[in-house]
């Protein structure tokens, strides 16, 4: 009851304007809207994309209006949750834009081959095929959104004064990752290997597929133990919203790297050490399930760290 009363208590100095994450969303919306307008004849679903943006903008303004009428922490939390839920719409939207550009997977797969002498995404699951190991990998990958929720809720309940900056760092980083994905059309192994053929990939043949993904979204099934609980969770997520987009750098690794920095910043050993094994599993899982090349995961570590320190410089109140 005490927590509920605190959530419903009217704030003494409520924020009058939009949240930092809402401004970040509108900024990204404007950028992508301009791209859609300038490429209107090439975009496959321009009307749906524009209408979707209108719906997101109206929902954001409605949530702002509700908070103005009832300026309490619960409504503030709902505003943030709504923005984070929009990510499930923004992610496949990157595919609608970047499929107009020629695919670059052959460049990244070739560099991967030169760097390691083989394709880690192809070999990893073959060498480590035990059901327990497979489930651990899928557990790591499936922990992505729970990890985000854990950090956001920790800051909301334990460090409310830093809550807005925490969520801004997370959401602004997502939008910057999505901007990169739009201009760098790399699909990742599960889509590229399917397009070229696994046998060709194993022989070191990396074809330039050009605009193949403009009209194709078929991908390989996830490797691993197909009777596993977490395996089915990952496969269900792929069937629901996966698109041939967003491979380099890995936003899964980048965002979870940011979460680890935020946990460290919070000086909560419990939060940090709960997230740490999931973070380690996530790093290897992205390659194991063939969502990313190994270089995507490595780049995610560095880019995520750079984004954290970049957006930490913004003083959000």
């Amino acid at each position: 009851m005490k927590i509920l009363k605190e959530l419903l208590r009217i704030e003494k100095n409520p924020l009058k304007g939009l949240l930092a994450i809402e401004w970040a969303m509108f900024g990204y919306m404007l950028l992508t809207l301009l791209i859609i307008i300038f490429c209107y004849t090439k975009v496959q679903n321009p009307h749906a994309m524009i209408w979707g943006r209108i719906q997101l903008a109206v929902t954001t303004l409605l949530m702002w209006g509700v908070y103005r009428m009832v300026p309490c922490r619960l409504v503030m939390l709902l505003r943030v949750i709504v923005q984070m839920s929009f990510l499930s719409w923004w992610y496949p939207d990157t595919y609608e834009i970047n499929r107009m550009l020629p695919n670059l997977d052959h460049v990244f797969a070739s560099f991967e081959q030169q760097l390691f002498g083989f394709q880690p995404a192809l070999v990893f699951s073959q060498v480590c095929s035990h059901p327990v190991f497979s489930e651990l990998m899928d557990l790591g990958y499936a922990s992505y959104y729970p990890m985000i929720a854990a950090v956001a809720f920790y800051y909301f309940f334990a460090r409310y004064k830093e809550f807005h900056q925490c969520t801004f760092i997370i959401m602004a980083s997502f939008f910057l990752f999505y901007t990169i994905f739009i201009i760098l059309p790399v699909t990742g192994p599960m889509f590229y290997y399917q397009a070229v053929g696994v046998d060709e990939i194993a022989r070191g043949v990396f074809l330039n597929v050009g605009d193949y993904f403009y009209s194709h979204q078929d991908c390989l099934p996830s490797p691993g133990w197909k009777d596993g609980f977490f395996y089915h969770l990952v496969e269900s997520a792929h069937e629901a919203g996966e698109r041939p987009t967003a491979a380099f750098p890995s936003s899964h690794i980048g965002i979870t790297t940011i979460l680890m920095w935020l946990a460290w910043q919070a000086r909560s050993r419990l939060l940090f050490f709960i997230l740490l094994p999931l973070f380690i599993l996530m790093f290897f899982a992205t390659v194991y399930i063939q969502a990313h090349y190994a270089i995507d995961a490595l780049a995610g570590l560095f880019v995520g760290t750079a984004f954290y320190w970049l957006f930490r410089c913004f003083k959000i109140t």
Side-chain angles (χ1 to χ4, degrees):
M1 287 298 294
K2 184 178 180 181
I3 296 176
L4 183 59
K5 287 182 179 179
E6 185 66 21
L7 289 175
L8 296 175
R9 182 172 57 84
I10 301 299
E11 297 183 330
K12 294 181 179 180
N13 298 303
L15 181 66
K16 294 181 180 180
L18 294 175
L19 302 177
I21 62 171
E22 292 167 339
W23 281 117
M25 186 277 293
F26 276 118
Y28 179 76
M29 180 183 292
L30 177 60
L31 171 65
T32 53
L33 182 60
L34 290 174
I35 295 174
I36 294 168
I37 292 172
F38 283 113
C39 303
Y40 194 84
T41 58
K42 294 183 179 181
V43 179
Q44 195 168 80
N45 303 299
H47 293 94
M49 295 172 72
I50 293 173
W51 175 238
R53 282 161 171 76
I54 294 173
Q55 290 177 302
L56 266 57
V58 170
T59 302
T60 298
L61 294 175
L62 286 174
M63 291 303 301
W64 169 76
V66 172
Y67 178 77
R68 293 290 289 154
M69 291 186 290
V70 188
C72 64
R73 289 190 179 187
L74 179 60
V75 179
M76 179 63 73
L77 178 62
L78 291 175
R79 287 175 73 178
V80 173
I81 290 174
V82 165
Q83 291 302 316
M84 288 189 166
S85 69
F86 287 167
L87 292 173
S88 63
W89 191 89
W90 285 119
Y91 168 72
D93 182 77
T94 63
Y95 167 68
E96 296 297 332
I97 300 175
N98 74 15
R99 63 166 147 177
M100 295 185 294
L101 301 173
N103 175 260
L104 298 176
D105 273 79
H106 62 288
V107 176
F108 286 79
S110 296
F111 180 68
E112 183 106 326
Q113 189 78 12
Q114 293 172 14
L115 188 63
F116 298 101
F118 61 96
Q119 294 289 297
L122 186 63
V123 175
F124 194 4
S125 60
Q126 297 173 351
V127 174
C128 304
S129 59
H130 193 280
V132 173
F133 190 87
S134 171
E135 276 293 271
L136 283 173
M137 293 294 99
D138 287 316
L139 165 62
Y141 198 78
S143 67
Y144 187 45
Y145 289 110
M147 289 176 70
I148 295 173
V151 172
F153 277 116
Y154 177 83
Y155 270 83
F156 180 79
F157 287 105
R159 304 178 72 92
Y160 186 72
K161 291 183 178 180
E162 300 172 51
F163 174 66
H164 295 299
Q165 185 179 45
C166 165
T167 53
F168 171 73
I169 291 172
I170 294 171
M171 292 299 292
S173 297
F174 262 113
F175 290 129
L176 201 47
F177 270 115
Y178 289 172
T179 302
I180 295 172
F181 297 153
I182 285 173
I183 62 178
L184 199 64
V186 185
T187 68
M190 69 168 63
F191 289 99
Y192 181 65
Y193 291 178
Q194 172 71 12
V196 176
V198 173
D199 291 339
E200 292 295 298
I201 295 295
R203 286 196 291 268
V205 177
F206 309 110
L207 300 178
N208 182 352
V209 297
D211 63 353
Y212 174 84
F213 293 109
Y214 184 84
S215 56
H216 294 81
Q217 299 183 34
D218 46 319
C219 66
L220 295 172
S222 293
W225 185 41
K226 292 179 170 50
D227 292 327
F229 172 77
F230 290 107
Y231 177 90
H232 286 291
L233 278 184
V234 171
E235 276 294 276
S236 297
H238 285 168
E239 291 172 4
E242 194 59 73
R243 299 290 189 280
T245 181
F248 183 90
S250 169
S251 58
H252 277 73
I253 302 303
I255 294 298
T256 49
T257 299
I258 290 167
L259 297 178
M260 296 307 299
W261 279 110
L262 287 167
W264 183 266
Q265 176 184 313
R267 297 179 181 177
S268 170
R269 290 186 177 182
L270 178 62
L271 178 63
F272 183 85
F273 285 108
I274 286 175
L275 296 180
L276 183 58
L278 296 175
F279 172 66
I280 295 171
L281 290 176
M282 175 70 74
F283 180 83
F284 292 102
T286 57
V287 180
Y288 185 87
I289 71 167
Q290 299 178 344
H292 291 281
Y293 303 106
I295 55 175
D296 301 340
L298 292 170
L301 290 173
F302 293 101
V303 175
T305 297
F307 286 178
Y308 167 78
W309 288 103
L310 170 65
F311 292 121
R312 192 171 182 266
C313 295
F314 291 79
K315 299 302 179 183
I316 308 299
T317 57

